[in-house]
Amino acid sequence: MPGAAESVFVSYVGADRAWAEWVAWHLREAGHHVELDVWDWRTGDNFIERMDRALGRATAVVALFSSSYFDRARWTREEWTSAVARRRRLVPLTIEPLDGGEVPDILAAVIRKDLHGLDEQAAITALREAVAGPTGPLTAPPFPGTTGAAAPSVDAGGVRPRLPGGAGMPEVWNVPRRNPHFIGREATMTRVREALLAGRQAVVQALHGLGGIGKTQLVLEYAHRFASQYDTVWWIDAEQADQIPVHYTELAARLGIAAPGAGTGHTTRTLIEHLRTRERWLIVPDNAEEPGAFETLLPTGPGHVLITSRNPGWKDLVPSHGLDVFPRGDSVAYLTTRIPDIATQQADSLADGLGDLPLALAQAAGVITTGMTPDRYRRLLNDMTTRLMANGAPPGYPAHLAATVDIATARLSNAHPQATELLRLAAFLGPDPIPTAWLETTVGRLDTLTVDPDDFMWPQSALQHLSRSGLARVDHETFQVHRLTQAIVRDHTGEADATAAEHDVTTLLAAIAPSDAVDPVGWPTWAALTSHLTAGLHTAAQHPPLHATLIRAARYLCVSGQSRAGRDLAATLHATWTTALGEDHPDTLGIAQYLGHATADLGTEATARRIIEDTLERRLRVLGPDHPDTLNSANDLAATLARLGEYEQARSLHQKTLDHRRRVLGPDHPDTLNSANNLASALDNLGEYAQSHRMVEDTLKGRRRVLGPDHPDTQTSANDLASAVARLGEYGEARRMFEEILEGRRRVLGPDHPDTLTSANNLAATLDSLGEYEQARSLHKDTLDHRRRVLGPDHPGTLTSANNLASALDNLGEHEQARSLHKDTLDHRRRVLGPDHPNTLTSANNLASALDNLGEYEQARSLHKDTLDQRRRVLGPDHPGTLTSANNLAATLDSLGEHEQARSLHMDTLERHHLILGPDHPDTLNSASNLATALANLRQFRAAEQILGDARARSRRVLGENHPDTQRLTENLARVLTALGRPFEAHRLRATGGKKGQRRKRR
């Protein structure tokens, strides 16, 4: 070989895999190191990482240009653009004629080598020259298309690939016409091809799945795509197993090996023996439903057998691939390709209604492209499913979906009536998987199922027949009927049978519903149950026995963090029951409670308040003030008032509700403990930290005793106690507690639950208070990203994380970024919460501090002054938030040289901090430090020394020697000592550690 060996990466699209195998094979034979994904990458590898590493190693990227190669949705775009960007050598090989407009402009000037239209010897020469330069004469391999009994040449890639198209079509071929609209299934195609190439003798593979899933279409595409690699491809309609010998006799005649006058049995044996000594053949038994009938009919030898079947029983005999509905991306790609001008959103909605079933997608495309709008088809699909699915079979499919289902159900009904009963019941449930345990639990109470009490194999025996008929997917725990199959079965069910089935569905769903919607132990059951309740919501809402279950389902959605789904369910039920039962019916009021819950959890507290106030008013009138449901609404209203920043009203109503609950329910009832916890939170909001700490500590003990340590309510109290500890300045202990709570919530609730994200936010804020700014920034950033995705950009929780991240940036000295994020958060909070909400005022205070850190003192003074006035009015003069604003305004005045005004305001603030928080609280120590700075600026050094000495000693004890606040106090004291003419004392003090002295702005 004239040139040096290259490290080659082969870039191609899935439809051109036969070319990729041929190119890779011959480049390896020429001495190059070649990386081909389907040969060298393992199942489970990260595709993007493998591709990136391969492109990094490659000295040349061989790109197989075809009309599909430049599709913008293909990964090939990343491959060739990466090669250009990395200045790797790009070797373009065209494998089919291309129009000038198909090749991107950036590649138009690159010299390409054509492989299409050449015989194999010329193509090998062209390939080698393209990669390594001109080559000498090569020894010609046998011409493609010749037959013989010699064993094939093999290496790590399997049988030597032929030049695609070089040998034309196989000599023996009876495969139906290719589907021009085939799309997707590339991963399955790759698995099938790899499995077929892996063996040295006859390799048998089966594809099984529901009717209409596209099994035949995939195998048809495989046969056409890899036709050049076979000499014989024979397609058999295998639905009637007794006709297989007839089809084999036809093949034997085509191969010229059928003896005149021999029977089909003898000819079949002759054919199987013949195939044992031949290579490059593919037999396709299509729709082979009875595996047992093929025990002596599957050929052996160096060829391939590819079976399609509805019956998953093939997996017990041969390696199999279960085929599912399209991934949504493939469904949308199919529809947007077939239907001109359909919007992606329309395609997504249509695919959802069709359940991503390939046959249904093909039928829909056929109807829409002949004169119906996608939106009208989607609307008709809701009410006229069967009639739409009976509207013509698309090319390549034997029948439309309605006929396919009808034929299968008729056969099932004749042979296995118990399975038919189970199918009918499943048709009135939702389209999601149905746990078989539900049937086992309720079997004696379901009137539509005929079950022999001695049949210990039921329902497995009935499910086995459903599975074999292709009408359901069955695994060891669940079974599932496609939504369109369900609709067709429902439409063909008589009125009396439908009524009986709906009654049994009501019985089943009510029976398996857990009694507790809050305990996470029952959430997996609730998740499955809710999907079936909501799928048939209109029907379920009309059945009174299901009302209590539906209300608990709404509660489950709220407490499990699925607030939007909870709101949608509750809103639908509330509207339905208001009309059917009246606004004051207990069920209407019950679902209204969770409508208010979910609305508040979505961050729309003002709307939630109106719903909750109306519900409370009606319950007071209908049920009375002491009814547990009335007290639930009172508790909800108090919690909403707190979210709205109306802390005094919230405290008053929580106290009143707690008193009622203690009297009516007792002190240890979960609802009573809930009120106690909420009252503690209200006290915390009012700045009454010590009282809040005592109450939440007592509540936590009660909840651990009554509910257990992992109950979400117990974890809420634990989180609130940690917050109370942090409020009191005990940051180290708070950190330990938050870490434990966060780990527990991640384990019990999951990483994206709103409560988990609250604990992550609180831990990050505590790290910030401990001076661990980098860790705080990282955790705040991660929490903000999660909250934006889970809650949305305008949710109050998201805005809290944005505010806290901005403060962490400010503490790290990234003041410009902090100012920008604080400004954006303040604008959002003013719009979402209103200008007087305590959280809005927190953002205003923090933006003013960021301006101060940037040296923009006049703007900072103005904003601090306005915020202090608002906090005094909204929170009162002694609230910790108000004192924070007073401290920060005084510090800004000092920076502006207004030292006397600063001193006066600092003295008043320090006195209030002493009174409210105590002398050791970090906020009190910060206030003392800032007062000392103002005194030093007034040259009152001895007074400053006394204050700083006391504050530093307390800070060392409370926060530790290395805390940034302690270090600042040390540096500020050293400066005062220097000013007093005691530099040696200052030097010794600095030796213990200190940071640049500056005023610390509280958040």
Side-chain angles (χ1 to χ4, degrees):
M1 187 177 71
E6 298 271 9
S7 180
V8 178
F9 176 75
V10 182
S11 173
Y12 71 101
V13 298
D16 300 326
R17 174 171 170 172
W19 275 103
E21 292 175 351
W22 183 87
V23 165
W25 180 290
H26 286 285
L27 288 178
R28 283 187 179 180
E29 283 203 332
H32 299 290
H33 173 76
V34 182
E35 188 157 358
L36 183 66
D37 56 354
V38 293
W39 286 357
D40 302 308
W41 300 354
R42 296 178 302 176
T43 301
D45 283 353
N46 185 301
F47 175 82
I48 298 174
E49 290 180 1
R50 290 302 304 261
M51 182 177 73
D52 188 63
R53 289 200 296 268
L55 290 167
R57 288 190 295 266
T59 58
V61 176
V62 171
L64 305 184
F65 284 9
S66 65
S67 57
S68 300
Y69 186 85
F70 298 106
D71 187 332
R72 295 185 66 86
R74 300 279 188 178
W75 280 107
T76 48
R77 181 174 182 82
E78 279 69 24
E79 292 168 1
W80 68 257
T81 53
S82 176
V84 172
R86 298 175 192 230
R87 300 187 180 276
R88 297 288 190 267
R89 182 166 169 244
L90 186 69
V91 182
L93 305 173
T94 55
I95 57 176
E96 67 182 32
L98 297 175
D99 297 331
E102 292 182 274
V103 181
D105 292 341
I106 192 173
L107 298 178
V110 180
I111 297 175
R112 304 192 291 273
K113 180 75 73 172
D114 290 336
L115 297 186
H116 62 85
L118 303 177
D119 63 29
E120 185 160 14
Q121 188 60 64
I124 293 172
T125 302
L127 169 64
R128 293 186 175 186
E129 288 183 350
V131 175
T135 63
L138 300 171
T139 300
F143 182 72
T146 59
T147 60
S153 302
V154 296
D155 76 353
V159 177
R160 177 194 296 272
R162 283 180 175 157
L163 175 70
M169 295 299 289
E171 295 174 357
V172 178
W173 171 270
N174 75 332
V175 177
R177 188 171 59 182
R178 192 175 198 171
N179 182 355
H181 304 302
F182 182 86
I183 198 169
R185 301 294 197 198
E186 291 300 335
T188 305
M189 186 78 73
T190 296
R191 289 196 297 272
V192 168
R193 179 64 176 165
E194 288 174 351
L196 290 174
L197 292 179
R200 295 294 181 264
Q201 294 300 312
V203 179
V204 183
Q205 297 284 305
L207 281 87
H208 61 84
L210 303 177
I213 209 77
K215 305 176 292 295
T216 298
Q217 298 304 308
L218 189 149
V219 175
L220 186 62
E221 174 65 17
Y222 175 89
H224 281 275
R225 185 178 294 185
F226 295 100
S228 61
Q229 305 305 306
Y230 297 101
D231 295 328
T232 298
V233 181
W234 199 248
W235 192 279
I236 296 173
D237 181 359
E239 186 169 8
Q240 296 181 359
D242 59 353
Q243 294 298 303
I244 301 301
V246 176
H247 296 295
Y248 277 172
T249 298
E250 294 172 355
L251 174 58
R254 287 286 298 275
L255 292 172
I257 61 170
T264 56
H266 175 78
T267 305
T268 295
R269 290 190 294 274
T270 299
L271 173 69
I272 291 175
E273 184 62 30
H274 175 78
L275 293 177
R276 191 194 310 276
T277 63
R278 295 295 185 269
E279 62 179 30
R280 298 188 185 277
W281 50 262
L282 171 65
I283 307 297
V284 181
D286 184 38
N287 204 21
E289 303 304 341
E290 294 299 332
F294 284 80
E295 288 185 13
T296 62
L297 295 177
L298 292 178
T300 60
H304 299 158
V305 180
L306 197 48
I307 299 165
T308 73
S309 179
R310 294 186 183 193
N311 190 345
W314 277 102
K315 64 188 177 184
D316 297 328
L317 302 178
V318 300
S320 300
H321 307 269
L323 210 59
D324 202 351
V325 296
F326 267 163
R328 180 56 52 83
D330 283 357
S331 298
V332 172
Y334 177 84
L335 292 172
T336 52
T337 300
R338 288 289 316 274
I339 304 172
D341 303 323
I342 189 173
T344 301
Q345 186 174 1
Q346 287 177 306
D348 184 83
S349 174
L350 184 56
D352 184 66
L354 294 167
D356 299 294
L357 188 70
L359 172 54
L361 293 166
Q363 285 187 236
V367 172
I368 292 170
T369 53
T370 55
M372 182 181 290
T373 67
D375 289 340
R376 183 164 187 264
Y377 191 97
R378 182 68 179 90
R379 289 194 300 271
L380 291 174
L381 190 61
N382 291 328
D383 303 317
M384 305 178 68
T385 305
T386 302
R387 292 178 62 183
L388 281 177
M389 292 299 103
N391 200 329
Y397 289 89
H400 53 66
L401 182 62
T404 300
V405 173
D406 285 346
I407 293 169
T409 53
R411 290 175 178 171
L412 187 71
S413 181
N414 291 331
H416 307 288
Q418 282 190 333
T420 304
E421 293 172 350
L422 191 54
L423 174 65
R424 186 181 300 119
L425 179 68
F428 287 86
L429 285 161
D432 288 335
I434 303 166
T436 53
W438 291 3
L439 300 174
E440 295 163 0
T441 300
T442 58
V443 59
R445 288 173 276 178
L446 303 180
D447 297 333
T448 61
L449 299 182
T450 304
V451 181
D452 182 350
D454 295 328
D455 183 5
F456 66 91
M457 289 299 294
W458 191 92
Q460 286 74 21
S461 53
L463 290 172
Q464 183 180 45
H465 297 306
L466 270 183
S467 176
R468 288 178 175 177
S469 68
L471 291 168
R473 291 188 62 193
V474 179
D475 62 26
H476 65 287
E477 291 186 340
T478 66
F479 71 105
Q480 184 176 16
V481 180
H482 192 274
R483 66 176 68 237
L484 297 181
T485 301
Q486 288 178 307
I488 294 168
V489 171
R490 285 197 303 269
D491 284 351
H492 291 172
T493 300
E495 184 176 350
D497 286 340
T499 299
E502 288 182 1
H503 179 271
D504 272 2
V505 165
T506 299
T507 300
L508 185 150
L509 296 178
I512 55 90
S515 59
D516 187 354
V518 179
D519 190 346
V521 172
W523 287 0
T525 300
W526 275 115
L529 174 61
T530 302
S531 72
H532 290 281
L533 285 168
T534 55
L537 187 57
H538 176 73
T539 300
Q542 309 304 320
H543 287 75
L546 274 183
H547 287 192
T549 302
L550 287 164
I551 293 171
R552 295 205 305 280
R555 186 181 190 190
Y556 149 73
L557 291 170
C558 290
V559 298
S560 64
Q562 303 175 70
S563 302
R564 195 167 304 280
R567 192 269 312 274
D568 293 345
L569 173 62
T572 300
L573 292 172
H574 187 257
T576 300
W577 291 346
T578 295
T579 301
L581 306 175
E583 292 180 303
D584 290 342
H585 190 279
D587 291 345
T588 307
L589 295 175
I591 202 62
Q593 176 179 333
Y594 295 108
L595 177 58
H597 257 292
T599 303
D601 289 341
L602 288 170
T604 48
E605 281 87 358
T607 302
R609 177 179 186 168
R610 291 192 294 271
I611 296 169
I612 294 167
E613 284 181 331
D614 179 73
T615 307
L616 174 58
E617 179 184 340
R618 293 178 185 279
R619 280 177 159 172
L620 282 167
R621 176 165 40 82
V622 174
L623 303 175
D626 286 342
H627 192 282
D629 289 349
T630 305
L631 297 177
N632 285 339
S633 288
N635 173 78
D636 291 351
L637 178 57
T640 303
L641 291 172
R643 287 179 169 182
L644 288 166
E646 300 179 21
Y647 297 149
E648 280 291 356
Q649 289 178 266
R651 190 248 294 268
S652 175
L653 185 52
H654 274 313
Q655 181 67 67
K656 181 179 177 183
T657 307
L658 175 60
D659 293 342
H660 273 71
R661 280 177 158 171
R662 280 175 172 161
R663 177 169 50 81
V664 173
L665 303 174
D668 285 342
H669 191 282
D671 289 354
T672 306
L673 295 173
N674 188 40
S675 278
N677 196 84
N678 289 346
L679 178 57
S681 295
L683 293 169
D684 183 76
N685 290 331
L686 288 165
E688 300 178 20
Y689 299 148
Q691 190 176 350
S692 171
H693 178 275
R694 288 191 296 272
M695 176 164 277
V696 77
E697 189 173 39
D698 183 64
T699 305
L700 176 59
K701 291 176 183 176
R703 280 179 157 171
R704 281 176 173 159
R705 184 177 66 255
V706 173
L707 302 174
D710 284 342
H711 193 280
D713 289 353
T714 305
Q715 291 180 328
T716 294
S717 285
N719 178 82
D720 291 351
L721 179 58
S723 294
V725 169
R727 299 278 197 207
L728 292 170
E730 299 173 20
Y731 301 135
E733 176 62 10
R735 174 188 186 164
R736 184 197 63 76
M737 295 171 71
F738 277 131
E739 286 175 338
E740 181 179 318
I741 297 157
L742 178 57
E743 180 183 352
R745 278 181 156 172
R746 282 175 172 162
R747 173 172 49 82
V748 174
L749 304 177
D752 287 342
H753 192 284
D755 289 353
T756 305
L757 299 178
T758 295
S759 287
N761 170 79
N762 293 349
L763 174 58
T766 304
L767 292 171
D768 207 37
S769 297
L770 285 165
E772 300 182 17
Y773 302 140
E774 280 292 354
Q775 287 180 264
R777 187 245 295 268
S778 177
L779 186 52
H780 275 313
K781 176 67 169 61
D782 180 70
T783 307
L784 175 59
D785 291 342
H786 273 71
R787 278 178 155 172
R788 281 175 172 159
R789 175 170 53 80
V790 174
L791 304 176
D794 286 342
H795 191 280
T798 306
L799 298 178
T800 294
S801 281
N803 170 80
N804 292 349
L805 174 59
S807 294
L809 293 170
D810 215 14
N811 287 333
L812 285 165
E814 300 177 21
H815 305 311
E816 195 58 61
Q817 286 180 265
R819 187 249 295 270
S820 177
L821 184 52
H822 274 313
K823 176 67 168 62
D824 180 71
T825 307
L826 176 59
D827 291 342
H828 275 72
R829 279 179 157 172
R830 281 174 172 162
R831 175 171 52 80
V832 173
L833 304 176
D836 287 344
H837 192 283
N839 290 352
T840 305
L841 299 179
T842 295
S843 281
N845 170 79
N846 293 349
L847 175 58
S849 294
L851 291 170
D852 209 349
N853 288 331
L854 287 166
E856 300 178 18
Y857 300 129
E858 285 292 352
Q859 286 181 264
R861 190 238 302 262
S862 176
L863 186 52
H864 273 313
K865 176 66 168 65
D866 181 64
T867 307
L868 176 58
D869 291 343
Q870 288 180 281
R871 277 179 155 172
R872 282 172 172 162
R873 175 172 50 81
V874 172
L875 302 174
D878 289 336
H879 190 281
T882 306
L883 299 182
T884 293
S885 282
N887 173 76
N888 292 349
L889 174 59
T892 303
L893 292 172
D894 213 21
S895 297
L896 286 166
E898 300 178 18
H899 306 311
E900 189 56 54
Q901 287 180 266
R903 182 191 66 81
S904 176
L905 184 53
H906 273 312
M907 288 189 68
D908 178 73
T909 306
L910 179 57
E911 289 174 5
R912 293 175 187 270
H913 268 132
H914 267 282
L915 180 64
I916 301 301
L917 301 177
D920 288 340
H921 193 281
D923 286 2
T924 306
L925 300 178
N926 180 67
S927 192
S929 176
N930 290 349
L931 172 59
T933 299
L935 291 170
N937 287 333
L938 289 167
R939 306 191 65 78
Q940 298 178 25
F941 298 121
R942 293 195 182 281
E945 177 195 5
Q946 184 177 355
I947 293 172
L948 287 170
D950 178 72
R952 178 174 177 271
R954 293 177 186 274
S955 186
R956 293 172 73 188
R957 185 175 68 253
V958 172
L959 300 176
E961 190 75 55
N962 295 321
H963 192 281
D965 284 3
T966 306
Q967 293 177 335
R968 289 187 186 93
L969 282 164
T970 299
E971 176 59 27
N972 289 345
L973 179 55
R975 288 185 175 189
V976 168
L977 291 172
T978 300
L980 286 168
R982 292 148 62 185
F984 295 110
E985 288 183 57
H987 178 73
R988 286 196 301 271
L989 195 62
R990 285 192 174 102
T992 66
K995 285 191 175 181
K996 181 179 178 182
Q998 62 182 48
R999 285 172 294 276
R1000 170 83 161 136
K1001 299 303 174 71
R1002 308 310 288 184
R1003 307 296 176 185

